[in-house]
Amino acid sequence: MRDDGPFSTKAPQVFITAAEAYPALERAFLEAQTEIVASFLVFDPETRLRSAEGLAVGERWFDLIVHCLRRGISITLTLSDFDPIARAALHRGTWRSLRLLQAAAEVAGPGSGRLSASAARHPAETGTLPRVLISPLIMARVLRSANWLNRQPPEVRAAALRDMPGIAALMVVKADGRVRPRLWPLPRLFPGTHHQKIAVFDRRRLYVGGLDLNERRYDDQGHDRPAAETWHDVQVLVDGPVAADAARHLQAFQAVTAGQMPPIDTGQLLVTLSRQRGVPLVRFGPKPIVQSIFDAHCAAIAGAQGLIYLETQYFRDIKLTRALCKVAQEKPDLGLILMLPGAPEELAFDGRDGLDSQLGEFYQARCLRHLKRAFGKRLFIGSAAQQRRARKQQRMGRDLLAKAPLIYIHAKVSVFDHVAIISSANLNGRSMRWDTEAGVQLDDPQTVADMRRRCMAHWLPEAVDASFFAPETAVAAWRGLALSNAGRAPEARQGFVLPYDLRAAEKFGTAVPFLPPEMV
């Protein structure tokens, strides 16, 4: 019998929250024998190590990267770059992480494995006409960045400009070191993002799902921390041929999105890929070219019989909504449980209440109203909050739900009877059609059943009966528990689940006619 070493084939391993996923990722790095290929939206080398194996080589991911390189491992890591106008802080974080990774390669020294770390921005650009229409918003964002830079001490400003090449290109540096926005030409916009979170080890093991790597995204299953530091996510490790499929995807996705080559066959790996549209004057966003995550969802929706269980950061895609509404009419016994964050992160914690946030809440509220009409009592839409009252210093806004601090839901999990999809894709138009996404479909009935029960049990009190999991009774049981919790003081609640506040989303949401739904 052939010995496959540390990567002998195992059943898929599902990790709930970073407290489970980060140690597993550390061990996968340490067990790699020759090659690691990865692509993340966010990957901060200063993130603390959590596993015993990781802590044996250092305190932070910087040390783990150095250790792997000294073992002779070849590491290829692609970090997403961001539109510097729309996401200046994330743009800065990417380039700062690249500096740290390059420093890790220098510390590892000659004779070590090769480190190839690069930033990749989705190449699709917004056309001239849309940019002119929203030029006041564009210049307001550029001015905000300039004002922030000018408030910093000179040495901090210089370091920030070094780590924000996209912003630096939009500024004129004055004689005193302060900056002002360039007035011409009108800045270019890049609305798409490489949003995937994926790593492949020796082309035999795949780590994929919704979780990036930094301290902000670390949380455990107790979620006992300030609301703005909670982060519920799900990731999976899968052995087998899908890992080689993912490696091929990671080698090709930049050329595919740049229009330099046709899409490749990604085999068992589900992806979203897009590229530049052909009409330069009026295009707003990229053109979808592969939508296998969307297609897999549609096929699974059509085949569902008993219960659909969804966890997603956003539910805003009208096409998926229509597919769910159609199957609700065809199958009167089909139930749906949908878990959403009580409010988007950018609104609850970051105070970003601009048109994009308003548009996102508008589309989500519209989709949820369609679901309520189609499913009726067979639908439960829930959110999660901690079992404690908000502290006095906490803002009394969308960071609270029923007087308790939110638990922020970022997972992207869809379970349809005996089929499950775990990916980086939210259930919105952006993830289904614009951004680069990756995920897997699990088909083994026992694996799916175990995963569904773990995901559902995470929100429930420990001693619940089978009615909370059985397709015939789950929706009513969850609704009853959520309503009961809403009527109790936070510290007296059972589990984390509460009803989603649809009225709050409807009150804040605003339709913006010329912005496409894929923006949000």
Side-chain angles (χ1 to χ4, degrees), residues 169-490:
L170 303 176
M171 302 294 168
V172 174
V173 180
K174 297 186 287 187
D176 62 358
R178 293 165 62 84
V179 300
R180 66 167 177 81
R182 293 185 185 276
L183 300 180
W184 188 259
L186 188 64
R188 301 156 69 191
L189 294 180
F190 299 87
T193 305
H194 297 309
H195 189 251
Q196 60 196 355
K197 306 96 169 38
I198 181 172
V200 181
F201 305 92
D202 299 332
R203 300 183 179 244
R204 292 157 62 187
R205 172 164 289 178
L206 168 65
Y207 174 88
V208 68
L211 187 60
D212 285 295
L213 183 77
N214 69 357
E215 286 297 326
R216 165 67 183 98
R217 288 158 171 80
Y218 184 83
D219 197 2
D220 59 29
Q221 296 197 21
H223 302 298
D224 186 14
R225 57 188 63 220
E229 297 176 16
T230 60
W231 195 273
H232 173 76
D233 227 320
V234 176
Q235 201 81 2
V236 64
L237 265 177
V238 184
D239 294 346
V242 68
D245 296 335
R248 291 195 303 274
H249 161 72
L250 289 173
Q251 290 176 323
F253 79 91
Q254 290 189 65
V256 172
T257 56
Q260 298 168 355
M261 64 179 290
I264 67 168
D265 180 3
T266 57
Q268 297 177 31
L269 185 74
L270 304 176
V271 298
T272 301
L273 289 169
S274 63
R275 63 170 53 141
Q276 184 75 289
R277 290 187 184 274
V279 184
L281 179 64
V282 299
R283 65 189 175 213
F284 209 114
K287 176 183 179 181
I289 52 175
V290 181
Q291 302 177 72
S292 58
I293 295 177
F294 173 80
D295 293 340
H297 274 84
C298 289
I301 289 169
Q305 299 293 331
L307 178 67
I308 298 174
Y309 176 79
L310 307 174
E311 293 180 5
T312 184
Q313 182 185 17
Y314 306 120
F315 187 87
R316 299 172 176 176
D317 186 34
I318 192 63
K319 294 184 179 181
L320 283 179
T321 301
R322 288 170 180 158
L324 285 165
C325 291
K326 180 175 184 291
V327 78
Q329 295 171 352
E330 296 171 348
K331 300 175 182 179
D333 295 327
L334 180 65
L336 171 60
I337 295 174
L338 170 58
M339 289 295 292
L340 294 165
E345 180 190 19
E346 57 271 18
L347 185 57
F349 310 131
D350 300 339
R352 300 207 312 264
D353 57 358
L355 284 179
D356 50 350
S357 295
Q358 296 174 41
L359 182 64
E361 287 289 82
F362 169 80
Y363 280 120
Q364 182 152 298
R366 185 181 71 167
C367 289
L368 296 181
R369 282 295 178 195
H370 284 308
L371 290 183
K372 288 176 75 72
R373 285 193 291 269
F375 280 89
K377 293 183 178 181
R378 294 175 290 141
L379 170 70
F380 171 70
I381 307 173
S383 294
Q386 300 175 46
Q387 295 171 319
R388 63 176 177 84
R389 291 185 182 274
R391 299 186 178 97
K392 290 183 179 180
Q393 65 267 30
Q394 188 161 3
R395 293 190 305 112
M396 296 299 197
R398 297 288 297 278
D399 55 343
L400 300 180
L401 184 64
K403 300 181 181 179
L406 290 184
I407 296 170
Y408 192 68
I409 298 174
H410 188 264
K412 298 94 168 61
V413 174
S414 305
V415 188
F416 313 86
D417 297 328
H418 304 303
V419 173
I421 298 169
I422 300 177
S423 74
S424 60
N426 294 300
L427 302 184
N428 60 349
R430 170 175 284 278
S431 284
M432 294 294 110
R433 285 176 283 284
W434 276 15
D435 287 348
T436 302
E437 310 280 7
V440 293
Q441 179 169 308
L442 306 179
D443 299 300
D444 175 67
Q446 189 60 53
T447 298
V448 173
D450 292 345
M451 187 203 75
R452 176 178 54 219
R453 189 175 184 90
R454 286 195 65 214
C455 288
M456 295 174 75
H458 177 75
W459 306 115
L460 303 172
E462 290 185 7
V464 295
D465 59 38
S467 66
F468 285 84
F469 306 99
E472 302 83 5
T473 55
V475 173
W478 280 60
R479 181 186 300 110
L481 175 63
L483 292 173
S484 174
N485 279 342
R488 297 170 179 259

Side-chain angles (χ1 to χ4, degrees), residues 134-150:
I134 62 173
S135 58
L137 295 176
I138 295 172
M139 295 313 298
R141 291 270 182 107
V142 176
L143 181 60
R144 185 188 308 170
S145 293
N147 290 339
W148 179 85
L149 287 165
N150 287 333

